[in-house]
Amino acid sequence: MRSIIVDGPARLSGSVHVPGAKNSVLPILAASLLCTGTVVLRNVPRLTDVQAALEIHASLGCTAALHGHTVSICADGMRACDIPHSLAARMRSSVFYLAPLLARTGRAALAAPGGCDLGPRPVDIHIDGLCAMGAHVVQESGGASALTAPRGLHCADYTLRFPSVGATETLLMAACAARGVSVLRGVAVEPEVVDLARFLRSAGAEISGEGTRCITVRGRGALLGTQYDVCADRIVAATVLCAAAACGGEVIVDGCPARQLEPLVSLLRRAGCAVAALGTDSVALSSDGALRGLGLVQTGVYPAFPTDMAPLLGAAVLRADGISVIRDTIFPNRFVCAQGFAVFGARCGAAGESLVVSGVRSLNGAQAAAPDLRGGAALVIAAMSAHGESVIDNAHHIERGYEDISGLFTPLGAHLETACGCPCAV
Ligand code: EPZ
């Protein structure tokens, strides 16, 4: 078990260039199976989820190699169409392989996808949309799915019952390979959906409307190999901003479009931070660490305040003067990290879908376990603003979405190191 050891409190100053986005590169890696020839992706974050995706590609008979922050993939040798439990269970993003496998082989079998335990994470919209395009469910139980499309996929005019990010990405991939013109309505408009559409277009797909609630796709046969730069990770940018807000200091995050951070920026201003956009792709934040409570905050689908940023914002206001109530409308178990916050001395609790925080003057170092990816990052933020040494166990959750969280914050003045997780007295 790996752990993050933190010696707090820290004051953060400096600038961070935001790495490539986990939630963009993972669907794009799956979509590369739709291409003949070689796909080269740049600005790829070195994450354990990316490694898991490359192992899925290898298990299917594709070549996939990561050198630095560049991945090259060729699916021409693909010879399998099923993804075993040992690989599927490692991340939610294994679900993205259903569409390209169906499109290329007429069949797809996927054990239950893994991912953060944020509550029920069904894939019914993915499956329903694929069936609207001609797929048939052979088996669906316990989260595992097997579908066939013996006559290939055909176009559909399909409305998603909820703007699911993943289901939008699944159906966008399927529509690119389906015969005819598909119209997808009620889709997600997150930046990562737009990035996938741009990748597919660079490979020859005919797509319009991405970033709006209605996407139109003229399907065609195989797409072509391409080269593509993955967009910046807005959640990593948010992590740095929330950490500086919590600890105090002056940071600049660059490389991520400032407009993607606007909902968070307005909340950090409400808490008392000075935040300014420096051009289109850079945000500067200054905080004295003495914040005000936020009152009521609610997450929503993009462009609302995103669910992934909710635990990070919660960590930022643990020492704020006043009450903050952050309600997540997307995932029921988003705030399991509240138990970890309390170990540091925070006065908080998870009430239903909400995190309720009554700020305290100071936090003390403690040992806590990361419950999931963003909850783990939030505990690191709490530890950096606490007095004394902390140990955040189960760091493997954090490593799914952060290339090197110690290396992210140490240059800014924090004292973090990643350890083997040997039992340490705090
Ligand atoms: C993506 O998950 C992200 N993951 C999540 O980031 C992010 O929190 C989420 O979108 C929301 O923005 C990746 O992109 C790899 P959804 P996804 O489908 O696609 C329900 C992180 O920390 N739903 O938009 O799984 C679902 O249960 C991760 O980086 C159905 O009911 O999210 C949830 O309540 C965590 N049926 C809601 O929709 C379906 O078929 C939103 O889920 C699909 C989803």
Side-chain angles (χ1 to χ4, degrees), residues 314-326:
V317 295
L318 295 178
R319 296 186 305 123
D321 179 14
I323 305 288
S324 303
V325 179
I326 304 173

PDB file of all heavy atoms in Angstrom, residues 314-326:
ATOM      1  N   GLY A 314     -14.402  21.500  -0.742  1.00  0.00           N
ATOM      2  CA  GLY A 314     -14.669  21.212   0.667  1.00  0.00           C
ATOM      3  C   GLY A 314     -13.409  21.297   1.492  1.00  0.00           C
ATOM      4  O   GLY A 314     -13.395  21.895   2.578  1.00  0.00           O
ATOM      5  N   ALA A 315     -12.318  20.757   0.971  1.00  0.00           N
ATOM      6  CA  ALA A 315     -11.037  20.815   1.696  1.00  0.00           C
ATOM      7  C   ALA A 315     -10.583  22.258   1.869  1.00  0.00           C
ATOM      8  O   ALA A 315      -9.993  22.623   2.882  1.00  0.00           O
ATOM      9  CB  ALA A 315      -9.983  20.012   0.949  1.00  0.00           C
ATOM     10  N   ALA A 316     -10.890  23.096   0.882  1.00  0.00           N
ATOM     11  CA  ALA A 316     -10.433  24.489   0.923  1.00  0.00           C
ATOM     12  C   ALA A 316     -11.111  25.280   2.038  1.00  0.00           C
ATOM     13  O   ALA A 316     -10.551  26.258   2.530  1.00  0.00           O
ATOM     14  CB  ALA A 316     -10.676  25.164  -0.428  1.00  0.00           C
ATOM     15  N   VAL A 317     -12.318  24.874   2.448  1.00  0.00           N
ATOM     16  CA  VAL A 317     -13.068  25.685   3.427  1.00  0.00           C
ATOM     17  C   VAL A 317     -13.139  25.042   4.804  1.00  0.00           C
ATOM     18  O   VAL A 317     -13.919  25.473   5.662  1.00  0.00           O
ATOM     19  CB  VAL A 317     -14.488  26.013   2.902  1.00  0.00           C
ATOM     20  CG1 VAL A 317     -14.410  26.906   1.673  1.00  0.00           C
ATOM     21  CG2 VAL A 317     -15.271  24.727   2.600  1.00  0.00           C
ATOM     22  N   LEU A 318     -12.319  24.038   5.061  1.00  0.00           N
ATOM     23  CA  LEU A 318     -12.348  23.381   6.383  1.00  0.00           C
ATOM     24  C   LEU A 318     -11.968  24.364   7.502  1.00  0.00           C
ATOM     25  O   LEU A 318     -12.396  24.201   8.639  1.00  0.00           O
ATOM     26  CB  LEU A 318     -11.405  22.178   6.394  1.00  0.00           C
ATOM     27  CG  LEU A 318     -11.763  21.017   5.466  1.00  0.00           C
ATOM     28  CD1 LEU A 318     -10.689  19.931   5.556  1.00  0.00           C
ATOM     29  CD2 LEU A 318     -13.136  20.451   5.797  1.00  0.00           C
ATOM     30  N   ARG A 319     -11.153  25.375   7.169  1.00  0.00           N
ATOM     31  CA  ARG A 319     -10.730  26.355   8.196  1.00  0.00           C
ATOM     32  C   ARG A 319     -11.379  27.720   7.956  1.00  0.00           C
ATOM     33  O   ARG A 319     -10.954  28.734   8.506  1.00  0.00           O
ATOM     34  CB  ARG A 319      -9.199  26.488   8.192  1.00  0.00           C
ATOM     35  CG  ARG A 319      -8.454  25.211   8.596  1.00  0.00           C
ATOM     36  CD  ARG A 319      -6.943  25.445   8.727  1.00  0.00           C
ATOM     37  NE  ARG A 319      -6.367  26.010   7.514  1.00  0.00           N
ATOM     38  CZ  ARG A 319      -5.699  27.156   7.488  1.00  0.00           C
ATOM     39  NH1 ARG A 319      -5.563  27.878   8.594  1.00  0.00           N
ATOM     40  NH2 ARG A 319      -5.205  27.611   6.356  1.00  0.00           N
ATOM     41  N   ALA A 320     -12.403  27.740   7.089  1.00  0.00           N
ATOM     42  CA  ALA A 320     -13.060  29.022   6.778  1.00  0.00           C
ATOM     43  C   ALA A 320     -13.892  29.472   7.972  1.00  0.00           C
ATOM     44  O   ALA A 320     -14.334  28.659   8.788  1.00  0.00           O
ATOM     45  CB  ALA A 320     -13.934  28.871   5.545  1.00  0.00           C
ATOM     46  N   ASP A 321     -14.139  30.764   8.029  1.00  0.00           N
ATOM     47  CA  ASP A 321     -14.963  31.327   9.110  1.00  0.00           C
ATOM     48  C   ASP A 321     -16.423  31.265   8.677  1.00  0.00           C
ATOM     49  O   ASP A 321     -16.876  32.079   7.865  1.00  0.00           O
ATOM     50  CB  ASP A 321     -14.544  32.786   9.342  1.00  0.00           C
ATOM     51  CG  ASP A 321     -15.396  33.434  10.435  1.00  0.00           C
ATOM     52  OD1 ASP A 321     -16.086  32.675  11.150  1.00  0.00           O
ATOM     53  OD2 ASP A 321     -15.394  34.669  10.525  1.00  0.00           O
ATOM     54  N   GLY A 322     -17.144  30.274   9.166  1.00  0.00           N
ATOM     55  CA  GLY A 322     -18.551  30.167   8.778  1.00  0.00           C
ATOM     56  C   GLY A 322     -18.889  28.783   8.252  1.00  0.00           C
ATOM     57  O   GLY A 322     -18.077  27.858   8.281  1.00  0.00           O
ATOM     58  N   ILE A 323     -20.106  28.689   7.742  1.00  0.00           N
ATOM     59  CA  ILE A 323     -20.679  27.406   7.300  1.00  0.00           C
ATOM     60  C   ILE A 323     -20.610  27.300   5.773  1.00  0.00           C
ATOM     61  O   ILE A 323     -20.852  28.286   5.055  1.00  0.00           O
ATOM     62  CB  ILE A 323     -22.156  27.297   7.736  1.00  0.00           C
ATOM     63  CG1 ILE A 323     -22.309  27.508   9.238  1.00  0.00           C
ATOM     64  CG2 ILE A 323     -22.748  25.951   7.286  1.00  0.00           C
ATOM     65  CD1 ILE A 323     -21.808  26.362  10.074  1.00  0.00           C
ATOM     66  N   SER A 324     -20.301  26.083   5.327  1.00  0.00           N
ATOM     67  CA  SER A 324     -20.375  25.776   3.884  1.00  0.00           C
ATOM     68  C   SER A 324     -21.143  24.473   3.723  1.00  0.00           C
ATOM     69  O   SER A 324     -20.879  23.508   4.453  1.00  0.00           O
ATOM     70  CB  SER A 324     -18.972  25.610   3.291  1.00  0.00           C
ATOM     71  OG  SER A 324     -18.201  26.792   3.510  1.00  0.00           O
ATOM     72  N   VAL A 325     -22.102  24.478   2.823  1.00  0.00           N
ATOM     73  CA  VAL A 325     -22.852  23.254   2.500  1.00  0.00           C
ATOM     74  C   VAL A 325     -22.699  23.017   1.002  1.00  0.00           C
ATOM     75  O   VAL A 325     -23.149  23.836   0.184  1.00  0.00           O
ATOM     76  CB  VAL A 325     -24.332  23.381   2.861  1.00  0.00           C
ATOM     77  CG1 VAL A 325     -25.086  22.108   2.496  1.00  0.00           C
ATOM     78  CG2 VAL A 325     -24.484  23.682   4.360  1.00  0.00           C
ATOM     79  N   ILE A 326     -22.038  21.927   0.647  1.00  0.00           N
ATOM     80  CA  ILE A 326     -21.793  21.618  -0.767  1.00  0.00           C
ATOM     81  C   ILE A 326     -22.616  20.381  -1.129  1.00  0.00           C
ATOM     82  O   ILE A 326     -22.404  19.302  -0.568  1.00  0.00           O
ATOM     83  CB  ILE A 326     -20.294  21.353  -1.035  1.00  0.00           C
ATOM     84  CG1 ILE A 326     -19.450  22.538  -0.571  1.00  0.00           C
ATOM     85  CG2 ILE A 326     -20.052  21.081  -2.524  1.00  0.00           C
ATOM     86  CD1 ILE A 326     -17.938  22.305  -0.646  1.00  0.00           C
TER      87      ILE A 326
END
